[in-house]
Amino acid sequence: MSTDVAADTSVIKALKRIRMPQTQRNREFWLLLFACAISGAALTLVQLGALGVIDPVVLAIGGGLAVLAFALHFVLRVVAADADPFVVPIATLLSGIGIAMIYRIDIAKANTGWDAYSTKQLAWTAISLVGAIAVVILLRNYRVLFRYTYIFGLTGIVLLLLPFVPGLRIDDANAAVWVSLGGVFAFQPGELAKIALAIFFAGYLVRTRESLTSVGKRVLGITWPRMRELGPVLVVWVISLGIIIFQRDLGTGTLIFGMFVAMLYVATGKTSWVLIGLTLVVAGVALATQILSYVQGRFINWLFLFDSSQVDPDGAGYQPMQGLFGLARGGLIGTGWGQGRPEITPLAHSDYIITSLGEELGLIGLFAILCLYMVFVSRGMRIGLAGQDDFGKLLATGLSFTIALQVFIMVGGVTRIIPLTGLTTPFLAAGGSSLVANWLIVALLLRISDGVRRQPRVVIG
């Protein structure tokens, strides 16, 4: 009798094991189908609004990207059936909306062929999806990344230094963040560096969390770390300042330091680290504002944008002004796809794609996009907090926080909540290296979530 009961119990457990992943993947299938439908509808409405006709070629290319997205879905069914079902549909929908907006700006500027930013974005999206599929297939166990903690740290530093290598740097760029291979292929190594550094930070904090959480002095109800534990924070702070000073890249420096402080807080649970990090950020900004003219110019544009005695409305103030005017014209419900004038704003397809979307989709459309980001980040945080493995917890949290901080920096910059920096809006903005990096983050989150769900749960009692 006991043998039969044990056998029945094993069968029930096996059935549950089979049924649950299918439920997750079925949910992902329908959400992905909905995301592709919305993206296709956006492309169609852009054509009808801006051209008055439908170009089936563009829709066919968009359909090809949908095939790749579903290919990723079916790969997950086979090799990562327990992965989170919301991450891929959200990333697909954001990428589709971005392509539709970039295509709309290309129509306004009469960009066609390979000169069109939307054509390049379509190609980069395909490359990004193929890269995500490759990572999901090849990285069977994300914990192997822990073995190469310091190699990833070195890789991140090398990637950040690439723009200074003679023959690679693009000299006419405003910031030293681009490299060119043979004058044909250009990319931002800093986008990949943030992933390598996130892996390094996660591995390093797992190894050193005991010393970082050691007891220090308690002042004002908060336990402050001892001076010798401040070393890692100061090193990352100096690296971030180096990026701001030598690469003239305020956004990447802020992003890397913010990611490290967030992961440090998750690893130690000490509020004092957050306060120390914020203090160092304020000190770094104050220092950079005093010694760097371009940082000072960003702050002047932010504080005195509509003061013509401080900011030239036809010069440095033209872009942020036009972006705000576009948002104002969009109002609550927007002008509609293809009915606005987003192309008036410089770099409307990349740095200012949020204002372009705000003009044609309105405040409601922007809120919907921000809600997608919120759900994406919350799922990433949930993946990290649900795990019993410290490395996976820190890595998922760090990658998710990176997306959240990047969105805040860009949306806050174009709406004058904070000074504008040179980052891209994840998944939406034109840019191949940024898109590839974001989809690699998606792949890593999928692998971590699958590993977390497969971990045996310890039941007490």
Side-chain angles (χ1 to χ4, degrees), residues 240-399:
S240 301
L241 275 182
I243 294 171
I244 295 173
I245 294 172
F246 296 109
Q247 291 191 328
R248 297 172 56 86
D249 188 3
L250 181 62
T252 301
T254 305
L255 186 69
I256 290 175
F257 185 70
M259 175 177 63
F260 179 71
V261 172
M263 296 173 72
L264 183 59
Y265 173 71
V266 173
T268 62
K270 297 177 70 171
T271 309
S272 56
W273 287 118
V274 178
L275 298 178
I276 292 171
L278 291 175
T279 302
L280 290 174
V281 168
V282 173
V285 169
L287 179 63
T289 304
Q290 294 299 318
I291 65 176
L292 298 174
S293 58
Y294 90 95
V295 176
Q296 188 177 26
R298 295 278 177 93
F299 273 84
I300 292 175
N301 282 0
W302 173 49
L303 296 172
F304 308 104
L305 180 60
F306 293 98
D307 184 353
S308 58
S309 64
Q310 297 280 344
V311 180
D312 181 8
D314 295 321
Y318 183 77
Q319 184 186 39
M321 282 182 181
Q322 293 302 322
L324 291 174
F325 292 154
L327 285 174
R329 188 187 179 199
L332 185 64
I333 61 174
T335 61
W337 283 111
Q339 298 297 307
R341 298 285 302 280
E343 72 278 1
I344 295 177
T345 305
L347 299 177
H349 61 286
S350 56
D351 290 7
Y352 271 73
I353 196 168
I354 284 293
T355 63
S356 302
L357 290 164
E359 181 175 349
E360 300 209 335
L361 300 183
L363 185 62
I364 294 176
L366 274 187
F367 274 174
I369 291 172
L370 292 177
C371 285
L372 288 174
Y373 281 119
M374 182 180 67
V375 175
F376 182 93
V377 172
S378 66
R379 298 302 295 187
M381 294 289 186
R382 184 177 182 273
I383 290 169
L385 297 178
Q388 300 173 352
D389 162 43
D390 289 338
F391 176 73
K393 179 182 296 185
L394 288 174
L395 182 56
T397 304
L399 294 174

Side-chain angles (χ1 to χ4, degrees), residues 8-26:
D8 292 340
T9 303
S10 300
V11 171
I12 292 173
K13 288 181 178 180
L15 289 174
K16 287 182 178 180
R17 184 78 179 150
I18 293 172
R19 199 177 297 125
M20 276 301 295
Q22 292 301 320
T23 301
Q24 296 293 332
R25 300 277 64 81
N26 290 340

